[in-house]
Amino acid sequence: MQRAVLFCFLSLLAVKVLAQGRMLGGPSDAPIDDHTNEIATFAVEQLKHGKANFAIKGNLQLAKVVSAKRQVVSGTNHILVVEAADDAGPKTLELTVWEKLPSNVKENEAPMELTHFKMVGPAAEVCLAGCDNRKNSASRARAGLLGLSSTGMVQC
C-alpha cells in the first residue's frame, strides 16, 4: 500500500515537472546579473588567450550576455549566449563555464573552467563554409559546427 502511494506521488510530481517543460537536473533560466557578467568575462578571456584548448583569433571583446541558464552539477554549469566582437566582426557564442564547488577548488587552481564553446548564428555559418577543403568532410563539418579547426583553433 505504501509503495502504491509513493508511486502515485512520484508519478504526479514527474507529470508536474514535465508539464512545466523542465527536466530534473537540467538547465534552468538564470538572471543576467553581475555574477553572470563576471562568468562571461572569464570565458571570453579564456578564449582570447587560448586557454582550455579553445582560442579565437583577434582581439575578442565581450559586448553583452544575451541569455543565461544554470545547471546544478558538482558545482554549477553556466550556459551563456553572449555577443562579442573581434577583428573579424561580431560573433554570437554559446559558452559553458563550470563553476566548481569551493570545497573542490585546489590551491592555485581557478574556481571556474570553460568546458564548452560554440559559435552560433551567421558567423558560425561563415566558419563552416570557409573551412579548409583539404581536410576530410567529417572533420571539416565537425570543426565548422563547433567553430573550431581540428587543432581547436577557430578558422575565421
Side-chain angles (χ1 to χ4, degrees):
M1 178 68 176
Q2 288 179 339
R3 285 186 182 176
V5 171
L6 181 60
F7 176 76
C8 287
F9 174 74
L10 292 176
S11 296
L12 289 172
L13 180 62
V15 167
K16 182 177 179 182
V17 168
L18 291 173
Q20 293 176 348
R22 293 189 309 182
M23 180 176 65
L24 291 175
S28 59
D29 291 337
I32 299 172
D33 55 16
D34 289 342
H35 186 62
T36 304
N37 285 314
E38 177 185 329
I39 292 166
T41 301
F42 167 82
V44 168
E45 288 299 312
Q46 294 293 296
L47 288 171
K48 189 161 61 172
H49 297 297
K51 309 268 171 104
N53 296 324
F54 303 119
I56 290 186
K57 295 177 185 176
N59 186 22
L60 188 67
Q61 299 293 321
L62 176 66
K64 72 175 185 173
V65 178
V66 176
S67 69
K69 292 183 181 277
R70 289 188 183 140
Q71 178 184 22
V72 176
V73 292
S74 179
T76 305
N77 277 334
H78 298 271
I79 302 134
L80 309 175
V81 175
V82 303
E83 290 179 357
D86 66 6
D87 299 337
K91 298 178 180 345
T92 303
L93 309 169
E94 182 180 281
L95 309 165
T96 302
V97 175
W98 174 43
E99 185 175 24
K100 303 170 188 176
L101 291 172
S103 60
N104 290 345
V105 178
K106 298 176 181 153
E107 190 174 331
N108 297 324
E109 182 180 63
M112 293 184 270
E113 182 179 322
L114 177 64
T115 59
H116 176 78
F117 139 75
K118 137 175 115 169
M119 285 202 295
V120 294
E125 294 167 13
V126 169
C127 267
L128 182 58
C131 284
D132 186 359
N133 289 324
R134 294 170 293 173
K135 297 178 184 176
N136 69 50
S137 60
S139 293
R140 196 170 64 249
R142 183 173 52 251
L145 290 173
L146 295 176
L148 304 174
S149 72
S150 58
T151 62
M153 300 297 281
V154 169
Q155 290 294 306
C156 48

